[in-house]
Amino acid sequence: MSLTYKIILYPLLLMMLQLSSFLLQAKGCQLPNSMNGLTLMMPISEKFSYSRTAGNDMIEMTFKQKSYYGSGYKVSYGFIGKYSYRKLAQNVAQIRMRETFAAKVLQYNLYLVCENDLEGYYIYAPISVETDPQIGIMIERYIIK
């Protein structure tokens, strides 16, 4: 993603998160204080995939204290990574990810916006991607298992 797009898209993304946070607070959902021990189930649309194997699949990511393991259901593949987690509001959190996927390093942010305590939507925002073609921001649903 070029610097010009990052300068334009990231402020828009943050404004959208703040608006979402404000609108969804009335529903009273609460994101966890930590991801340690939790599992996220997340679909990846084919049009947004960063790999031919990841597109149109369901990803399961299991978190430990500072690391995670992920796998897909459609095709047998796995990936590992390190992360940091912080709540931005009661119903919005940021997960900074750095993972190894198919011998490549991916760095991105996942923003979680809850609709209830176990589900909502996530926003994928790449920081750096070594794979081609590089994708932009993706919004999909998640479930905490």
Side-chain angles (χ1 to χ4, degrees):
M1 182 178 295
S2 75
L3 182 59
T4 303
Y5 288 122
K6 284 184 181 179
I7 291 171
I8 293 169
L9 289 178
Y10 285 116
L12 291 174
L13 174 63
L14 291 175
M15 284 190 317
M16 185 179 81
L17 285 170
Q18 289 173 339
L19 180 60
S20 296
S21 174
F22 175 75
L23 293 174
L24 293 175
Q25 273 185 350
K27 294 188 178 189
C29 64
Q30 171 92 0
L31 282 165
N33 291 323
S34 166
M35 292 301 292
N36 189 24
L38 297 179
T39 298
L40 281 181
M41 302 295 295
M42 305 178 310
I44 296 181
S45 297
E46 188 171 13
K47 66 181 178 177
F48 289 116
S49 83
Y50 49 78
S51 165
R52 286 183 179 86
T53 58
N56 202 24
D57 200 356
M58 178 66 72
I59 302 296
E60 180 175 311
M61 298 174 87
T62 302
F63 292 85
K64 296 190 182 220
Q65 186 65 31
K66 296 198 182 249
S67 64
Y68 61 92
Y69 172 78
S71 61
Y73 284 93
K74 185 173 94 173
V75 178
S76 179
Y77 60 91
F79 52 94
I80 57 172
K82 296 188 181 289
Y83 77 97
S84 64
Y85 176 83
R86 69 181 176 136
K87 286 177 73 170
L88 303 175
Q90 173 180 318
N91 61 329
V92 179
Q94 176 191 37
I95 308 174
R96 292 185 62 84
M97 317 286 273
R98 178 181 169 84
E99 73 188 38
T100 304
F101 180 84
K104 303 286 185 183
V105 175
L106 300 150
Q107 294 183 71
Y108 56 94
N109 289 316
L110 283 182
Y111 294 94
L112 304 179
V113 180
C114 66
E115 292 180 331
N116 63 53
D117 290 349
L118 297 177
E119 61 187 304
Y121 61 91
Y122 73 90
I123 301 165
Y124 169 96
I127 297 170
S128 69
V129 182
E130 293 180 1
T131 57
D132 285 18
Q134 188 172 8
I135 65 170
I137 293 172
M138 167 178 61
I139 301 172
E140 291 284 351
R141 307 257 331 138
Y142 75 84
I143 297 172
I144 296 176
K145 182 171 128 177

